[in-house]
Amino acid sequence: MKSFLAALLIAVPALAHAYTWDQTINFDPAPQITSKSSYSFTHDLTLPNSGYDNFVVGSDSIDNYSLILGLRNDAIGQIDYVTISQPGLFSSSTLKNWSVRSVTSNETYQGILSLNDSGKLAITISTIFGNFFLDTSELIATGTQGSQASVPEPASIALLAVGLIGIAVMRRTSRA
C-alpha cells in the first residue's frame, strides 16, 4: 500500500505539461508614435507560427504571459513618455537618453481571460510627449496544450493521500 501511495504522489505531478506559445510581430515599416498619438495592434496566438503550434481556443489553456515591446528613439537626448494599454493594465515609463529599448509589460488577469477566450491580446501604445518607433512586439504565453488532464493542487493530493492512508488503517484494524 505504501508503494502504491508513493507511486501515485510521484506520478500525478508528471501529468503537468507546460507549453509555450510565442508570437513576434516585426513592424515593417515601423510605425512612429508621435506626441499625443497612439498605435493599436493585436497579437493572435491562433495564427500558425513556424516552429510552434498555434493556440487552440477551448482546448489549450494559458496560465501566464509576458509582452516585450522593442522601441527605437528618433531623437536621442529627448525624454519620451511611453504608455502601454492592454486588458486590465495601463502602464507608463519615462525614458531618458535612450536609443533602443525593450519595454516589458507583465500579465494581467483580464489579459489571460482574453487569451483563453479568443487567443488574442489587444495592445495600444501611446505617448503624451516625445516621438519614437515601434519596431517589434513579442508575446510569450505559457500554459497547457490540448485536453490533457489538469494537475490537482497540492491540497487535493494531500486529501487523497490522507483518505487512502485512512482506508489502509481501517483495513488493518478490522483484521486484528
Side-chain angles (χ1 to χ4, degrees):
M1 185 68 168
K2 290 179 185 177
S3 60
F4 172 74
L5 286 175
L8 181 66
L9 292 175
I10 291 171
V12 170
L15 295 175
H17 177 71
Y19 192 82
T20 301
W21 295 271
D22 187 345
Q23 182 188 44
T24 301
I25 300 172
N26 292 308
F27 297 98
D28 188 23
Q32 183 179 26
I33 292 98
T34 58
S35 184
K36 298 180 184 172
S37 72
S38 64
Y39 182 79
S40 298
F41 61 96
T42 301
H43 275 282
D44 187 352
L45 296 178
T46 63
L47 298 174
N49 277 329
S50 59
Y52 294 97
D53 292 335
N54 56 318
F55 180 79
V56 179
V57 175
S59 176
D60 298 337
S61 174
I62 291 175
D63 300 324
N64 56 57
Y65 69 90
S66 167
L67 177 69
I68 304 163
L69 301 174
L71 306 176
R72 180 173 35 96
N73 198 350
D74 65 337
I76 298 171
Q78 295 182 353
I79 296 174
D80 298 292
Y81 185 75
V82 178
T83 59
I84 302 166
S85 177
Q86 60 173 309
L89 179 69
F90 181 81
S91 62
S92 62
S93 300
T94 302
L95 306 178
K96 302 174 187 174
N97 294 323
W98 65 287
S99 58
V100 176
R101 177 72 64 92
S102 290
V103 177
T104 302
S105 180
N106 294 328
E107 68 187 46
T108 65
Y109 180 71
Q110 291 88 346
I112 291 172
L113 288 176
S114 175
L115 286 168
N116 282 316
D117 187 45
S118 65
K120 298 177 183 178
L121 184 67
I123 309 295
T124 299
I125 185 167
S126 59
T127 182
I128 295 173
F129 56 86
N131 302 325
F132 54 90
F133 292 95
L134 174 61
D135 287 332
T136 61
S137 179
E138 182 178 19
L139 177 65
I140 303 167
T142 58
T144 306
Q145 184 184 32
S147 58
Q148 297 177 354
S150 62
V151 178
E153 59 188 55
S156 299
I157 294 171
L159 185 60
L160 175 65
V162 168
L164 291 173
I165 291 170
I167 292 170
V169 169
M170 286 177 38
R171 289 184 85 196
R172 280 195 178 177
T173 56
S174 67
R175 286 183 188 170

